[in-house]
Amino acid sequence: MEDPTEQSLWRPLHELLARLDAEIGQIYLDRDIKGLKPTYVRELLQLHLKGPMTITELADAIGRTHSALSQKVAGMRAAGLVRTVPGADARSKRVTLTAKSKKLVELLAAEWRATEAAIAELEAELPYPMTQVVRDVEEALARKSFHDRIAEMLQ
């Protein structure tokens, strides 16, 4: 069997996104902020702006599943960025910012704006903006999901 991973259309895109995330993460390391990942920023800013939320409310606020947010909250809790307290009933938990993350929110908001500005600057250098690529891909996936495309290829 030949190695199917030797040629990949998927890997360069995946690696590009991972590289961009790593470079954002380096901004935090440059400032000696331990445990903060770029994938936590949106949730931390939402908690700062809207106050404590249940995992379900936070998942709904950012358009993710409860399961995905539960795992992310566990990671943020381990990093000392959030704490969870019992919610209104025994099944729910409210997520709140810690003192550590409260000190970071201004930096996180500034980093978010700087990242958006860097993307705009990068797009100005490209013949075809990344945001247009995303819109075009979303439209194509609305016509036929990625799952369905893969499943068809496996038949």
Side-chain angles (χ1 to χ4, degrees):
M1 173 177 159
E2 288 184 38
D3 182 355
T5 67
E6 286 298 314
Q7 295 182 13
S8 178
L9 298 173
W10 174 252
R11 188 176 57 239
L13 175 60
H14 184 66
E15 290 174 355
L16 173 62
L17 294 174
R19 176 182 169 195
L20 295 175
D21 264 355
E23 291 191 29
I24 294 169
Q26 187 62 47
I27 298 294
Y28 310 140
L29 293 176
D30 292 348
R31 287 159 177 75
D32 202 32
I33 302 168
K34 305 226 184 328
L36 179 60
K37 295 180 180 181
T39 57
Y40 296 165
V41 173
R42 188 171 176 203
E43 290 81 358
L44 294 172
L45 288 173
Q46 288 294 301
L47 289 167
H48 171 70
L49 295 168
K50 297 178 182 174
M53 288 187 256
T54 65
I55 292 174
T56 299
E57 290 167 340
L58 186 54
D60 290 345
I62 64 164
R64 299 285 188 258
T65 66
H66 181 279
S67 176
L69 251 293
S70 184
Q71 290 176 7
K72 191 177 279 192
V73 165
M76 291 189 297
R77 190 175 53 239
L81 297 166
V82 299
R83 67 179 185 280
T84 55
V85 296
D89 62 49
R91 298 174 311 194
S92 68
K93 295 179 187 177
R94 292 192 69 71
V95 183
T96 63
L97 296 177
T98 62
K100 176 182 176 179
S101 58
K102 286 178 183 177
K103 291 180 200 172
L104 297 175
V105 293
E106 291 302 321
L107 171 65
L108 299 181
E111 175 269 307
W112 188 281
R113 288 188 291 273
T115 298
E116 291 294 316
I119 292 291
E121 177 184 79
L122 184 57
E123 282 201 338
E125 297 177 31
L126 301 174
Y128 192 74
M130 293 181 295
T131 51
Q132 185 62 50
V133 172
V134 171
R135 284 190 296 273
D136 292 347
V137 170
E138 290 290 350
E139 287 176 16
L141 292 175
R143 291 188 296 274
K144 184 181 194 180
S145 75
F146 198 49
H147 168 274
D148 290 350
R149 292 166 192 268
I150 295 169
E152 276 182 17
M153 299 295 171
L154 288 172
Q155 291 178 352

